[in-house]
């Protein structure tokens, strides 16, 4: 069988599986970006908080999740999560092992790592807001909540876009590690196809190319989004 | 907290630290050498070599390290040509496959960091050196290299921390470094949290030492940017942000 048949869409081809796996990689990364946004916002708030305890917790979170190998975090969430779920199962008289779904465990693990990086992005974006704008808002009588919604959030979103692009690319590549939990994403599917056909080289090259397609397209999308957002910034301030 | 278990976990994991450090050291050194070659190709190599360098960086930064490692570990062994070649004794070893994959990957990132550092060399300094008759290797050694090195150190320390973390992937090609050993402990004892904390602590200590060493090097390399000691205790200290550019 020629290599074209192997990666094609015929009866013995893996083309369909690989495309499906590419979508799976995309969706697990998207889920992790959303989970990371929640973690990141919380941790950034903790790090910017006036409470010393909150700052220490925020710092510990970013130090640990940026300092530990991604694989270790995935093991923690996958095995630890499954143990927690089993423990909850025992409370309801269910004896036996309950696993955390690998999509959920993977998205959560990569999301927690992404959250640590996103927290730094949001914190940087918050510091980039001109202090005068917050004073101006205060001086015309905007309350805390209104100021947050009208002045702070829209600017944080704009300033953090380039950083979020980087985090997205990191997560896209981290998502390959979710393959250890058995989730049929791009890495795992290439690995299985390679193993069953003994064509390791071919399928890892094809898998690698599909990752390159993903990172290139998403890089261009983020660049386009940045250009769009840049329109609303005043020029000549070194912000572009 | 079961301190006895934590202590025995720590002892087991510390025994794997030399493997992690060996992976890290070999791949960073190899990767740095390769990165220098890539930068030379990019900046002085003509259209073909420069395009090669660009494509290399694109490929190795755009795809996951794990797939690169599997490509080398499983992919290369598939070909009889390689199994019969002189390189097979090296490529047969999981350790060297992991080192090669890590080195190839970090070379792509390090090349970009070095290129960024090169851009920080002010053209005026090169002109000044040329005007007093320095050229070629002397110019590189005395002017370009020191300025580049200093400018790239902050980004470089980030990259080598990422490399410490990346060595964890070697466990997936059966090299028993810290993360692989931790995974084995987890599946034997089911005490995920404790093992995770001990392993993370080990990585944090390694990272901390590396960050301090790089900071020390940066300090040594920039005596002219440092504030002169003051006679009185008056005055504010200059922050690192203010001294980072000349």
């Amino acid at each position: 069988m020629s290599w074209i048949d192997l990666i094609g869409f015929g009866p013995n081809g893996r083309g369909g599986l690989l495309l499906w796996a590419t979508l799976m990689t995309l969706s697990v990364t998207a889920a992790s970006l959303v989970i990371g946004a929640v973690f990141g916002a919380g941790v950034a708030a903790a790090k910017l908080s006036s409470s010393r305890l909150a700052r220490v917790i925020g710092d510990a979170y970013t130090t640990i999740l940026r300092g530990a190998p991604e694989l270790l975090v995935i093991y923690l969430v996958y095995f630890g999560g499954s143990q927690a779920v089993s423990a909850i199962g025992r409370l309801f008289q269910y004896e036996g092992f309950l696993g955390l779904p690998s999509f959920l465990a993977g998205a959560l693990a990569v999301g927690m790592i992404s959250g640590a990086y996103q927290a730094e992005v949001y914190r940087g974006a918050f510091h980039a807001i001109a202090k005068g704008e917050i004073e101006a808002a205060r001086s015309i009588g905007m309350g805390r909540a209104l100021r947050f919604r009208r002045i702070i959030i829209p600017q944080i979103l704009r300033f953090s876009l380039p950083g979020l692009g980087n985090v997205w690319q990191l997560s896209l590549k981290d998502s390959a590690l979710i393959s250890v939990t058995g989730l049929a994403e791009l890495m795992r599917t290439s690995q299985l196809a390679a193993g069953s056909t003994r064509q390791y080289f071919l399928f890892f090259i094809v898998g690698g190319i599909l990752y390159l397609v993903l990172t290139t397209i998403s890089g261009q999308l983020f660049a386009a989004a940045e250009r769009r957002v840049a329109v609303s910034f005043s020029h000549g301030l070194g912000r572009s | 907290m079961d301190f006895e278990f934590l202590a025995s976990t720590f002892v087991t994991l510390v025994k794997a630290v030399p493997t992690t450090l060996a992976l890290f050291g070999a791949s960073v050194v190899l990767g740095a050498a390769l990165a220098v070659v890539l930068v030379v190709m990019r900046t002085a190599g003509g259209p073909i070599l420069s395009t090669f360098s660009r494509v290399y960086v694109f490929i190795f930064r755009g795809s996951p390290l794990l797939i690169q490692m599997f490509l080398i570990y499983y992919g290369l062994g598939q070909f009889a040509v390689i199994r019969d070649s002189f390189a097979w004794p090296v490529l047969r070893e999981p350790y060297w496959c992991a080192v090669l994959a890590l080195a190839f990957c970090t070379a792509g990132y390090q090349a970009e960091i070095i290129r960024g550092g090169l851009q920080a060399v002010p053209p005026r300094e090169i002109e000044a050196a040329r005007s007093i008759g320095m050229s070629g290797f002397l110019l590189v050694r005395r002017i370009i290299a020191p300025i580049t090195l200093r400018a790239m150190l902050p980004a470089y320390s980030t990259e080598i921390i990422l490399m410490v973390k990346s060595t964890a992937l070697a466990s997936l090609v059966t090299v028993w470094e810290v993360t692989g050993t931790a995974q084995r402990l987890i599946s034997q004892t089911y005490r995920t949290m404790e093992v995770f904390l001990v392993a993370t602590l080990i990585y944090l200590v390694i990272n901390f030492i590396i960050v301090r060493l790089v900071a020390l090097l940066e300090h040594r390399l920039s005596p002219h940017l440092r504030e002169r000691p003051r006679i009185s205790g008056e005055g504010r200290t200059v922050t690192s942000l203010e001294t980072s550019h000349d």
Side-chain angles (χ1 to χ4, degrees), chain A residues 18-236:
Chain A
L18 285 170
L19 281 189
W20 183 247
T22 311
L23 281 181
M24 182 60 100
T25 285
L26 212 51
S27 42
V28 78
T29 312
S32 73
L33 192 76
V34 174
I35 294 172
V38 176
F39 274 95
V43 173
K47 288 182 86 148
L48 290 165
S49 143
S50 52
S51 144
R52 197 186 156 83
L53 180 70
R55 282 204 306 273
V56 168
I57 292 174
D59 284 339
Y61 183 88
T62 48
T63 310
I64 290 177
L65 280 146
R66 292 191 310 163
E70 295 81 4
L71 203 52
L72 209 50
V73 178
I74 290 173
Y75 291 143
L76 172 77
V77 174
Y78 186 59
F79 293 117
S82 297
Q83 279 164 27
V85 171
S86 300
I88 293 168
R90 271 196 296 282
L91 283 182
F92 293 98
Q93 314 297 322
Y94 179 86
E95 295 298 324
F97 185 78
L98 286 170
L100 204 56
S102 52
F103 184 94
L104 187 66
L108 193 62
V110 176
M112 281 164 67
I113 300 164
S114 153
Y117 287 96
Q118 285 189 44
E120 299 294 353
V121 170
Y122 296 141
R123 198 166 63 97
F126 178 80
H127 285 306
I129 298 174
K131 291 287 161 285
E133 299 208 15
I134 296 173
E135 278 165 29
R138 199 180 279 154
S139 73
I140 58 164
M142 271 193 205
R144 212 180 144 84
L146 196 62
R147 216 159 56 219
F148 191 66
R149 182 161 67 80
R150 287 219 184 128
I151 312 293
I152 298 179
I153 286 291
Q155 297 202 67
I156 283 191
L157 289 181
R158 270 177 242 166
F159 284 132
S160 53
L161 198 56
L164 284 183
N166 288 338
V167 173
W168 167 264
Q169 302 279 28
L170 266 181
S171 301
L172 209 50
K173 284 176 273 169
D174 284 351
S175 78
L177 301 183
I178 300 176
S179 61
V180 298
T181 68
L183 181 70
E185 42 69 74
L186 189 46
M187 182 73 222
R188 176 87 185 151
T189 306
S190 318
Q191 210 177 331
L192 289 178
S196 60
T197 59
R198 319 293 291 165
Q199 293 290 322
Y200 295 98
F201 201 78
L202 173 68
F203 279 106
F204 288 136
I205 290 276
V206 171
I209 290 174
L210 287 171
Y211 273 109
L212 283 175
V213 169
L214 284 182
T215 49
T216 310
I217 293 178
S218 49
Q220 275 164 357
L221 286 179
F222 269 100
E226 272 173 48
R227 275 197 300 279
R228 208 182 137 79
V229 156
V231 173
S232 62
F233 287 138
S234 47
H235 295 283

Side-chain angles (χ1 to χ4, degrees), chain B residues 126-144:
Chain B
I126 297 177
E127 281 165 26
R130 284 237 161 86
S131 72
I132 58 165
M134 256 190 226
S135 66
F137 187 66
L138 195 65
L139 179 70
V140 171
R141 184 168 68 82
R142 286 223 183 124
I143 311 292
I144 298 176

Side-chain angles (χ1 to χ4, degrees), chain B residues 8 19 33 99 114 126 139 143 154 156 159 166-167 184 196 199 224:
Chain B
S8 76
T19 315
V99 166
I114 297 175
I126 297 177
L139 179 70
I143 311 292
Y156 199 78
E159 169 59 20
S166 297
T167 57
R184 204 154 51 176
F196 170 81
H224 62 294

